[in-house]
């Protein structure tokens, strides 16, 4: 069922949101962009008609103001609430600190109204006063301040003493936040590690709840939720949106519409939120924590179940588990049964003041839930065994698809707008729409009309069978890709294999970096490939500075790459998305191979098989779509403003020669294409001033 529109005030018209857009753009010192205006019009129509919208807006369009202007005008003229969900904290901060204040000033100027806004994050992004106050160390370190303790830590101090100073600083900061009425959001915390933050925050399952917690009246999470309930516009993230969908709308306040930015990451983020893992070490930690509250035999059973899982994991192949009679399922059953008994014992008694007992019970309940889910081998889940150097063997579970969840619990509940620079894959919205539960037959790009006039008349509600009307729109880009960029398609390079990077490819990389005078962002399929390329280029071009992921913190490497024009940066997936380096610093983007997912990755294989069994092309729907998305994001690192110029070089002949190559190329920015190496070298030399 398409959510019905609501009545708005007289100023909530196309002219109104365009006036606001003009004022907001002037506020930030920008200029009118036709794509941004078209986007604002489309979002305004979606909010008015209730028809869902997928809108591709290329880099430089100004997406944020493009959807904020019509959204805030609507909120100024109604009693609705609208949610904006982003994938990254960086965009969340940009919206909260820059774009939303500018847009609110513009709305107030045009309408005389100023809607309220709030930022809402997951529980672990806020400090927990129970952990801060009751989790204090009992040794002498609690008797001195963080500053005093930090001054005693020498370069040879142990990690434990450094962690202690870090945690004390976090506790002092949290108390200051409590005293000043702040929210103790992690973004504003003193410098810290993940390990330090874990000492002052609490997982969702272990929270006692505002009624039971002795510090419930001061709870930072409850304050943030209260602020969200009182706001017209709520900014959150994909993960919390997913949790809201999975748990019946309990994570977010009621809303009439949701705008999902960075929507190309949505499926991966929702999949992550709906996934879980189980390791023997995890069970052992939980058992040791709970054993002080359990009888010896119950505690011992729980502890020994970890060993049962360890044996099951060691005896299982590294692949999807589908045999209900396997040793793996048996091992998960042992954990499930032991955890069930422990939860039952921990839940008994009347001592409501024992917070540690309830937290231990919550941790054991989480082990039970995951083990039970894995042992069940539901057809809608993919369960598999993985192995890594850091964690060893682990059991993992993920949903086979999130399309049904998105369709029923997101699109079925509120008008939804998805936006990104990368929504059209292979030149069409079909793949992206299907991944979130929208069907091609439901697409409706006709003239806009109120949703109520075309709504179903058979009493259908928001379920999987009810039609979900949606529209796809590409507003283009302010960049002239055909004149600003070259896509270099190498046909003569050897096809990628498993034996490392071929010598011909290493030679080509060094030649291109030389021609560009450095200024290169290298995007590689693996850390080993990035390191091999860096070693080779440093050897061949000793005067060039080549940074490689792993040499230092990624933030420091990126800072140097931006600041030092002739420096190059090589890395892996972390650099494919999000890095923004306008200007001549990035004149060449090298992609070593088409970024298909691992061919033996169980979730990918399961999803491909499911598509094939339904009569589709599993490879194109899953593997090729994954590669197309990353190629589009990677190639998009080159042109970031209207005067940028350069080359994207893909050193994998399959992009030019394989049957699926046209699908992948159609997903990338429409640059001028060539396979002539000399043409590319000369173009790079001219850009670098060497010609």
């Amino acid at each position: 069922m398409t959510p019905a529109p609501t009545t708005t005030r007289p100023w909530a018209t196309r002219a109104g949101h365009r006036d606001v857009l003009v004022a907001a753009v002037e506020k930030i010192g920008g200029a009118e962009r036709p794509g941004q205006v078209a986007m604002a019009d489309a979002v305004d129509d979606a909010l008015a008609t209730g028809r869902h919208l997928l809108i591709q807006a290329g880099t430089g369009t100004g997406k944020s103001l493009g959807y904020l202007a019509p959204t805030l005008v609507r909120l100024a003229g109604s009693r609705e609430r609208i949610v904006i969900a982003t994938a990254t904290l960086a965009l969340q901060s940009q919206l909260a600190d820059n774009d939303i204040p500018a847009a609110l000033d513009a709305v107030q100027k045009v309408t005389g109204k100023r809607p309220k806004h709030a930022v809402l994050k997951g529980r672990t992004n806020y400090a927990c006063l129970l952990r801060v106050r009751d989790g204090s160390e009992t040794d002498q370190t609690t008797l001195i301040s963080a500053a005093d303790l930090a001054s005693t830590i020498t370069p040879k101090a142990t990690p434990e003493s450094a962690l202690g100073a870090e945690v004390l600083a976090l506790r002092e900061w949290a108390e200051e936040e409590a005293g000043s009425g702040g929210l103790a959001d992690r973004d504003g915390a003193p410098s810290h590690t993940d390990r330090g933050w874990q000492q002052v925050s609490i997982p969702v399952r272990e929270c006692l709840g505002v009624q039971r917690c002795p510090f419930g009246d001061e709870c930072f999470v409850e304050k943030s939720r209260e602020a969200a309930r009182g706001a017209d516009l709520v900014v959150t993230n994909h993960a919390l949106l997913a949790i809201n969908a999975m748990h019946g709308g309990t994570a977010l306040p009621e809303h009439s519409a949701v705008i999902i930015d960075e929507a190309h990451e949505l499926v991966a983020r929702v999949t992550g939120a709906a996934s879980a893992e189980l390791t023997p070490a995890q069970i052992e930690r939980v058992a040791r924590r709970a054993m002080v509250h359990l009888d010896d035999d119950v505690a011992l059973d729980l502890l020994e179940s970890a060993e049962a899982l360890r044996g099951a994991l060691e005896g299982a192949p590294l692949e999807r588990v589908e045999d209900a009679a396997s040793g793996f399922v048996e091992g998960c059953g042992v954990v499930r049964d032991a955890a069930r008994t422990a939860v039952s014992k921990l839940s008994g008694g009347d001592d409501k003041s024992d917070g540690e007992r309830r937290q231990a019970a919550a941790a054991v309940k989480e082990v039970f839930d995951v083990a039970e889910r894995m042992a069940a081998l539901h057809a809608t889940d993919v369960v598999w065994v993985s192995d890594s150097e850091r964690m060893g063997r682990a059991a993992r579970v993920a949903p086979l698809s999130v399309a049904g969840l998105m369709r029923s619990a997101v699109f079925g509940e509120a008008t939804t707008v998805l936006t990104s620079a990368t929504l059209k894959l292979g030149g069409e919205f079909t793949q992206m729409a299907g991944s979130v539960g929208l069907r091609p037959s439901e697409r409706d790009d006709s003239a806009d009309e109120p949703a109520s006039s075309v709504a179903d008349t058979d009493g259908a509600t928001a379920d999987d069978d009810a039609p979900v009307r949606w529209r796809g729109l590409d507003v283009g880009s302010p960049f002239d890709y055909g004149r600003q960029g070259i896509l270099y398609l190498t046909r003569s390079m050897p096809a990628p294999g498993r034996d490392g990077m071929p010598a011909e490819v290493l030679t080509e990389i060094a030649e291109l970096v030389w021609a560009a005078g450095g200024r290169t962002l290298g995007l590689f399929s693996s850390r080993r490939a990035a390191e091999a390329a860096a070693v080779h280029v440093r050897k061949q071009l000793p005067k060039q500075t080549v940074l490689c992921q792993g040499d230092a913190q990624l933030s420091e490497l990126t800072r140097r790459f931006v600041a030092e024009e002739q420096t190059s940066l090589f890395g892996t997936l972390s650099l494919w998305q999000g890095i923004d380096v306008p200007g001549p610093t990035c004149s060449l983007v090298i992609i070593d191979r088409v970024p298909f997912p691992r061919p033996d990755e169980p979730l990918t294989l399961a999803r491909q098989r499911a598509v094939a069994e339904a009569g589709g092309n599993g490879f194109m729907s899953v593997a090729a779509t994954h590669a197309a998305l990353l190629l589009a994001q990677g190639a998009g690192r080159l042109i970031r403003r209207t005067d940028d110029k350069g080359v994207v070089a893909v050193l994998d002949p399959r992009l030019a020669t394989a049957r699926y190559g046209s699908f992948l190329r159609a997903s990338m920015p429409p640059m001028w294409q060539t396979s002539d190496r000399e043409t590319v070298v000369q173009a790079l030399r001219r850009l670098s001033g060497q010609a």
Side-chain angles (χ1 to χ4, degrees):
M1 179 178 69
T2 304
T6 58
T7 303
T8 57
R9 303 288 172 79
W11 60 74
T13 63
R14 175 159 296 181
H17 76 254
R18 285 192 176 185
D19 290 343
V20 168
L21 182 60
V22 169
V25 170
E26 288 179 352
K27 178 78 176 178
I28 64 172
E32 180 179 308
R33 302 167 187 175
Q36 189 180 54
V37 175
M39 179 177 185
D41 290 347
V43 173
D44 179 66
D45 287 338
L47 297 177
T49 65
R51 179 175 52 181
H52 308 298
L53 175 66
L54 274 66
I55 185 162
Q56 177 163 293
T59 302
T61 300
K63 293 192 302 298
S64 298
L65 291 181
Y67 59 70
L68 282 172
T71 296
L72 290 172
V73 166
R74 186 169 187 85
L75 293 175
S78 71
R79 294 182 178 180
E80 299 178 55
R81 181 184 294 111
I82 295 176
V83 168
I84 295 174
T86 72
T88 61
L89 292 175
L91 179 56
Q92 219 174 55
S93 298
Q94 177 188 316
L95 287 170
D97 299 339
N98 301 316
D99 297 340
I100 290 177
L104 284 172
D105 288 344
V107 169
Q108 188 169 17
K109 178 180 178 182
V110 173
T111 70
K113 305 284 185 177
R114 192 178 184 88
K116 296 180 181 179
H117 77 284
V119 176
L120 185 60
K121 301 177 182 179
R123 183 172 297 275
T124 54
N125 286 284
Y126 303 95
C128 169
L129 287 173
L130 183 65
R131 283 282 176 91
V132 167
R133 293 169 179 170
D134 283 6
S136 302
E137 299 293 336
T138 56
D139 62 14
Q140 61 184 1
T141 61
T142 61
L143 304 178
I144 58 177
S145 70
D148 290 338
L149 181 59
S151 68
T152 69
I153 299 175
T154 68
K156 293 183 179 180
T158 65
E160 288 72 18
S161 59
L163 177 64
E166 182 182 313
V167 172
L168 278 175
L170 287 169
R171 287 174 178 157
E172 290 178 357
W173 161 78
E175 290 291 2
E176 291 171 1
E177 288 285 288
S180 65
L183 292 179
D185 181 346
R186 184 175 182 177
D187 280 354
S191 178
H192 61 274
T193 62
D194 287 344
R195 188 180 173 197
W197 184 255
Q198 288 169 3
Q199 306 303 308
V200 298
S201 64
I202 194 165
V204 175
R205 278 292 188 89
E206 296 183 26
C207 175
L208 301 182
V210 66
Q211 299 299 325
R212 290 182 169 181
C213 181
F215 309 112
D217 291 343
E218 302 174 81
C219 177
F220 297 121
V221 174
E222 289 305 314
K223 286 182 179 179
S224 69
R225 288 181 172 179
E226 183 179 349
R229 288 191 291 268
D232 306 296
L233 181 70
V234 177
V235 182
T236 188
N237 53 57
H238 291 183
L240 206 55
L241 180 69
I243 292 169
N244 191 67
M246 290 186 292
H247 297 284
T250 58
L252 298 174
E254 290 187 7
H255 51 276
S256 61
V258 57
I259 296 172
I260 303 174
D261 204 343
E262 301 175 306
H264 61 277
E265 294 194 44
L266 181 62
V267 170
R269 300 281 177 155
V270 175
T271 297
S275 300
E277 70 176 19
L278 197 60
T279 67
Q282 174 190 352
I283 299 168
E284 288 168 348
R285 286 195 301 271
V286 170
R288 292 192 181 100
R289 179 178 183 181
M291 65 172 48
V292 296
H293 308 289
L294 293 170
D295 295 336
D296 290 348
D297 56 340
V298 176
L300 185 59
D301 285 347
L302 183 59
L303 195 58
E304 289 181 346
S305 74
E307 197 58 39
L309 180 63
R310 181 175 285 111
L313 290 172
E314 292 300 328
L318 299 176
E319 61 187 24
R320 184 181 184 183
V321 179
E322 297 183 90
D323 181 5
S326 66
F328 171 86
V329 172
E330 181 181 350
C332 288
V334 172
V335 176
R336 175 200 60 206
D337 295 344
R340 178 192 288 120
T341 301
V343 169
S344 177
K345 298 295 184 182
L346 289 166
S347 300
D350 298 322
D351 185 6
K352 294 185 178 181
S353 65
D354 191 349
E356 174 56 32
R357 181 188 181 96
R358 287 196 296 273
Q359 289 179 5
V364 177
K365 180 63 163 58
E366 184 170 10
V367 168
F368 167 75
D369 287 344
V370 175
E372 183 179 49
R373 181 182 175 189
M374 290 179 173
L377 294 183
H378 294 297
T380 54
D381 275 338
V382 180
V383 180
W384 73 99
V385 178
S386 67
D387 194 11
S388 68
E389 290 184 8
R390 185 174 66 88
M391 292 184 60
R393 293 211 163 193
R396 299 184 180 276
V397 59
L400 181 61
S401 171
V402 298
L405 175 68
M406 296 300 299
R407 180 181 178 86
S408 63
V410 178
F411 291 96
E413 295 295 327
T415 303
T416 304
V417 176
L418 273 65
T419 186
S420 167
T422 312
L423 286 183
K424 293 173 68 176
L425 300 177
E428 299 290 341
F429 286 105
T430 306
Q431 296 289 351
M432 188 63 70
S435 70
V436 294
L438 301 178
R439 300 164 184 160
S441 61
E442 297 168 330
R443 182 171 178 176
D444 177 12
D445 291 344
S446 61
D448 300 303
E449 55 188 17
S452 56
S453 69
V454 295
D456 301 323
T457 58
D458 59 0
T461 55
D463 57 39
D464 287 348
D465 296 321
V468 179
R469 295 173 63 232
W470 63 279
R471 176 190 181 196
L473 177 66
D474 182 357
V475 300
S477 167
F479 304 145
D480 186 348
Y481 284 108
R483 295 177 62 86
Q484 290 181 249
I486 296 174
L487 176 59
Y488 175 35
L489 304 171
T490 57
R491 294 176 177 268
S492 59
M493 291 291 109
R498 296 190 176 186
D499 299 326
M501 192 172 294
E504 297 93 328
V505 174
L506 291 171
T507 299
E508 187 83 348
I509 291 172
E511 181 75 10
L512 293 171
V513 173
W514 167 80
R519 303 178 175 87
T520 300
L521 177 64
L523 304 177
F524 293 87
S525 55
S526 68
R527 178 71 68 88
R528 185 177 68 169
E531 292 171 348
V535 168
H536 181 79
V537 174
R538 288 165 181 162
K539 182 178 180 180
Q540 297 298 314
L541 305 172
K543 293 184 179 181
Q544 288 288 343
T545 299
V546 179
L547 307 175
C548 186
Q549 190 173 349
D551 291 347
Q553 291 290 325
L554 190 58
S555 57
E556 172 61 17
L557 296 176
T558 303
R559 185 197 65 76
R560 286 191 59 189
F561 179 54
V562 172
E564 302 168 12
E565 183 177 315
Q566 296 184 352
T567 291
S568 297
L569 174 60
F570 291 179
T572 57
L573 190 61
S574 301
L575 299 178
W576 285 75
Q577 305 181 66
I579 186 172
D580 187 8
V581 188
T585 294
C586 183
S587 297
L588 171 64
V589 173
I590 292 176
I591 298 174
D592 69 326
R593 63 192 296 169
V594 175
F596 290 117
R598 284 175 55 101
D600 59 350
E601 203 278 315
L603 184 57
T604 297
L605 288 174
R607 287 178 168 176
Q608 289 185 172
R609 190 175 79 181
V611 171
E613 289 174 349
N617 186 319
F619 171 78
M620 292 301 296
S621 294
V622 180
T625 295
H626 173 93
L629 180 58
L630 281 178
L631 281 173
Q633 288 290 308
R637 300 308 97 201
L638 180 68
I639 307 298
R640 309 301 294 176
R641 62 188 188 190
T642 55
D643 57 350
D644 283 347
K645 295 181 179 179
V647 172
V648 173
V650 183
L651 308 183
D652 184 338
R654 296 176 296 179
L655 186 61
T657 62
R659 286 191 299 174
Y660 53 77
S662 59
F663 172 82
L664 299 178
R665 296 194 303 274
S667 306
M668 302 172 71
M671 301 177 187
W672 183 71
Q673 300 177 15
T674 183
S675 294
D676 186 84
R677 180 173 172 275
E678 191 59 30
T679 298
V680 171
V681 168
Q682 290 304 316
L684 288 171
R685 294 194 68 197
R686 285 193 297 273
L687 285 174
S688 65
Q690 298 181 68

